[in-house]
Each structure stands twice: as structure tokens, then as C-alpha cells.
Amino acid sequence: MRQRSLIAITAALAAGALTLTACGSRDNGKSSDSGSGGGTSVTIGVDAPLTGDLSALGLGIKNSVDLAAKTANKQNYVKGVTFKIEALDDQAQPSSGQQNASKLVADNGVLGVVGPLNSSVAESMQKVFDDAKLVEVSPANTNPALTQGPDWQKTKARTYKSYFRTATTDAIQGPFAAQYVYNDSKKKKVFVIDDKKTYGAGLAATFTEEFKKLGGTVVGTEHINPDTKDFSAVATKVKNSGAEVVYYGGEYPQAGPLSKQIKATGAKVPVVGGDGIFDPTFIKLAGANSTGDLATSVGAPVEQLPSAKEFVANYKDAGYKEEYAAYGGYSYDSAWAIIEAVKKVVEDNGGKLPSDARAKVTAAMQNVSFDGVTGKVSFDEFGDATNKQLTVYAVENGAWKPVKSGTYTG
């Protein structure tokens, strides 16, 4: 077995700050644009759950992309080009995501798309975008197969060259959590639960593999139906298993009630999950006994990054009703990556968009590199983010508090 280490690093990165300009517009509508007027209009599509259980995350994605577009316009960042967004609601459903992908492809003004939130939705969209050579940059997808192919654990192969992401993957997030639970929290017996979806099952699998390698014992496994909120039978199994900790692969609408019902059995064990549970709504659903529950999330805490200070201030100043949530900084950087690619294509074509702009923007994305809200933004040969940082958060006094940031090396 190869030695594996968790290298703790400070949350304050030495990344240069991307200068942002506060935007005066407070339009929170579906489609928006603002800027210095005139020139060519370029649309950045957004696909996310704007309604339903995961809308807190989806609206943060939409608003952050909107802020990026308005910032570029205010700065006249791409001369002669005005950016606007077109945001579509996928309701966290793959079928809706695929329909939205087709709609965005049909709009010739769309030169890039930010989203989706869910890996299962991304699976339904990738081929649609790739066939149209329309670049897609997700701020939140973490399933490794999206970039490295279904057999990524044995042979990595990039299937879709138009797909990129600014979030790191579950190949890193799952083991990162396992190391924290085993080495830092000193928990040796885990009960693993997942929601059978692409994201949740994949995350639970990578956590389990690493936890076993470290010497931990899996005392039970269970799959839950994400359409129900009654987890009492599973909670009883957890109590009777002797587990010291529960790892849940899934999202906060189920994780919150699951945590609450486990605690209600008298089992005083923390529930640990990935970025899918890292939202204040989890704490509301889990209740007062959620203190000590843990979540991993991509990157370092945005509020602690020097490179993110202006983003945080400008987001607040723009007057959005909703929080930027877990993926706000990554959504801004995803949109800015598209803006950078458009700028490169325009500059290479004498100051105007070429007739094959979509294909050119997709090709340019591979070499995009800039200092963003979340640190250095660039992509490897698979379209994955080169920034591999993650953070463990714990519920303390009714809020998520960062307890350890680091990078996983295997």
C-alpha cells in the first residue's frame, strides 16, 4: 500500500486577487445584462436548480455568474463585447438538464455554459454540448467519471473535450474525508449510507475505499430513497451497529433529516458528508443535535481567501436576495474562465468573434489561467481543476465552522 498523506495548509492562499468592480445593477431576473453598451452580445448560459430542495445552491450559482458578467461589462474587459446570462432551471433532474442543454445549444448567442450543480445532471448534458462544441464549466460537479471516463480508477480517458470544472473531484474528496475521520477524529468504525445517485454513491465509494486502507472498519452499509424523509429504519440499524460515525453520500435535503433521526435513536454519532450537505439548510433540517456533524467542501473558505474579499463585498453590494452559498466563488470563476476564453478568441481574430466562435472558445478554455476568487484557476489535460484544495467543516453553535484545510495526495 502506498503511503498517503494529508498535508494541512493555511486557508489564506498566496494567490493574487482578481480585481473586481462593484456593479450597480440589482436585477435578479432570469436573463440579465449590463455594461458599456454597443458591440457584440455574448450570452453565458447557466444551468442549475433554481427551484426545489437544492435551490439555495442553484441561486447562488446563478447570481455569481451574473456578477461576473456585469463585472466584465463594467470593466469593458473584452472590448466590443457585452456579456449577459441566460439562466435555466434543471430542478436537479437529468431530463430537465438535457432539455436545457438543447435549448442553450439552439441559441447561437450562447458561447459558454456554467453548471450544472449535480453530477447526474451533467451526465445527461455532456454529449449535447460536446456535439455542438459548446464549452461547459461546472463549479460543483465532483464525480471523477465526468472528466476521466467510467473506468477512471483503472484507465483515465477524457470523453468530452468541451467539459471543464473548477471544483475538485470525489477521487480526492472522499479519501480526504476518510483521512480526517480516521486520523483526526480517531473514529475507527463507520456506517456508510448513500442515496444511490451518481454523486452520492461515487463519493461513498471513494470514502469507503480509503477508510478501509487506513485500517477502519465498515460496520454497515445502506442505500436510502432520496424521495422519502423517513429514515427511522436506517437510523435504528446505525444505532445497533456500534458505529462511531456515519458517512453519508448525498445531499442536504436527505442528510439533515437523516442526522436528526439517527440522533433521536440515542446514537450519539456524528454524520459526515461531502459538499452536497455543506449548506446552512442541513443544520436547520438536522436540528440542535447536529453539533459535531462534519462536511467536506471544495477549496478553502471563501471568506478567508484574500483573493475573494472583493467578490464577497461586491456580491453583497449588488443586492442579490440569496446568498452565494457553497459554490459562489467557483461559479464566478467558471464564468470568468469563459470570459477569458472569449477574450482570447476575439483578440486572436482582430477584435471580433469568428464564425466558429464556439469551437474556438472551447479550444481556448484548455489554456485559460488566471488568479480567481478561489485561487489559481487553470485546467489539466482532463479538464479538471488544478486547484485540489479541500476543507473540513464542523457544525458549531448552529453554523458551519472550518476546522481543517488541506490537499490530499495519494
Side-chain angles (χ1 to χ4, degrees):
M1 181 177 73
R2 287 185 299 167
Q3 174 112 9
R4 294 173 183 259
S5 62
L6 179 65
I7 306 168
I9 62 174
T10 59
L13 298 179
L18 172 65
T19 302
L20 309 179
T21 304
C23 177
S25 173
R26 295 173 184 262
D27 174 22
N28 292 315
K30 176 180 171 185
S31 179
S32 66
D33 65 298
S34 68
S36 47
T40 302
S41 177
V42 168
T43 301
I44 298 175
V46 181
D47 177 86
L50 305 180
T51 59
D53 288 343
L54 296 174
S55 60
L57 299 176
L59 291 167
I61 291 172
K62 185 202 78 167
N63 294 343
S64 300
V65 175
D66 185 63
L67 180 62
K70 289 174 176 174
T71 299
N73 292 342
K74 186 76 173 179
Q75 294 180 356
N76 192 25
Y77 193 72
V78 183
K79 290 180 173 55
V81 172
T82 299
F83 292 94
K84 64 179 182 178
I85 76 165
E86 179 68 19
L88 302 180
D89 181 11
D90 63 30
Q91 298 177 312
Q93 297 298 320
S95 58
S96 296
Q98 190 172 63
Q99 292 171 7
N100 290 347
S102 296
K103 183 176 180 181
L104 292 167
V105 164
D107 183 348
N108 292 330
V110 177
L111 293 189
V113 178
V114 175
L117 170 69
N118 305 86
S119 292
S120 57
V121 176
E123 284 181 320
S124 75
M125 305 175 83
Q126 285 181 301
K127 188 176 188 304
V128 179
F129 287 136
D130 204 61
D131 287 348
K133 296 182 171 60
L134 178 57
V135 74
E136 170 189 15
V137 188
S138 174
N141 297 160
T142 54
N143 188 276
L146 294 171
T147 47
Q148 300 173 19
D151 297 322
W152 63 271
Q153 289 173 304
K154 297 178 181 177
T155 305
K156 294 178 173 62
R158 187 173 186 178
T159 308
Y160 301 107
K161 292 186 177 180
S162 66
Y163 179 87
F164 296 81
R165 54 179 151 199
T166 53
T168 195
T169 76
D170 295 332
I172 297 169
Q173 183 174 197
F176 180 85
Q179 290 192 353
Y180 184 85
V181 170
Y182 188 89
N183 294 327
D184 295 75
S185 295
K186 308 299 182 184
K187 308 292 187 185
K188 312 302 182 186
K189 298 179 181 180
V190 65
F191 197 107
V192 180
I193 305 169
D194 71 67
D195 62 2
K196 298 184 286 187
K197 290 159 66 174
T198 301
Y199 163 75
L203 187 59
T206 59
F207 171 90
T208 299
E209 181 183 11
E210 179 70 8
F211 193 76
K212 286 180 176 179
K213 286 181 179 178
L214 291 168
T217 302
V218 177
V219 296
T221 60
E222 193 63 71
H223 307 288
I224 60 108
N225 180 354
D227 294 326
T228 184
K229 294 292 191 291
D230 181 4
F231 307 118
S232 55
V234 177
T236 300
K237 288 183 180 180
V238 170
K239 181 186 179 184
N240 295 335
S241 72
E244 299 171 320
V245 63
V246 170
Y247 189 83
Y248 177 67
E251 296 153 333
Y252 64 79
Q254 295 76 36
L258 177 64
S259 174
K260 188 173 187 177
Q261 291 171 45
I262 288 172
K263 308 297 194 298
T265 68
K268 297 180 180 180
V269 297
V271 170
V272 183
D275 53 316
I277 81 167
F278 179 57
D279 189 88
T281 310
F282 167 84
I283 301 171
K284 294 177 185 176
L285 294 172
N289 290 328
S290 62
T291 296
D293 285 351
L294 301 169
T296 53
S297 190
V298 295
V302 167
E303 297 80 1
Q304 296 181 12
L305 293 173
S307 55
K309 287 182 179 178
E310 291 190 66
F311 164 76
V312 174
N314 292 340
Y315 190 97
K316 181 179 179 181
D317 197 49
Y320 298 109
K321 296 175 188 175
E322 304 87 11
E323 297 295 325
Y324 51 79
Y327 304 105
Y330 291 89
S331 302
Y332 187 102
D333 284 348
S334 294
W336 202 265
I338 293 170
I339 291 166
E340 289 282 1
V342 171
K343 182 178 183 181
K344 170 67 173 169
V345 169
V346 168
E347 290 177 349
D348 287 352
N349 195 51
K352 59 183 180 180
L353 286 171
S355 58
D356 59 344
R358 279 185 175 173
K360 288 285 202 318
V361 169
T362 297
M365 185 62 69
Q366 189 63 54
N367 296 315
V368 160
S369 180
F370 62 96
D371 292 326
V373 171
T374 59
K376 188 72 173 179
V377 178
S378 60
F379 306 100
D380 66 16
E381 67 270 30
F382 300 104
D384 282 327
T386 55
N387 184 349
K388 308 296 186 185
Q389 193 175 24
L390 288 151
T391 298
V392 178
Y393 296 83
V395 178
E396 296 178 12
N397 299 317
W400 290 112
K401 302 292 183 184
V403 293
K404 189 169 189 175
S405 291
T407 55
Y408 168 82
T409 57

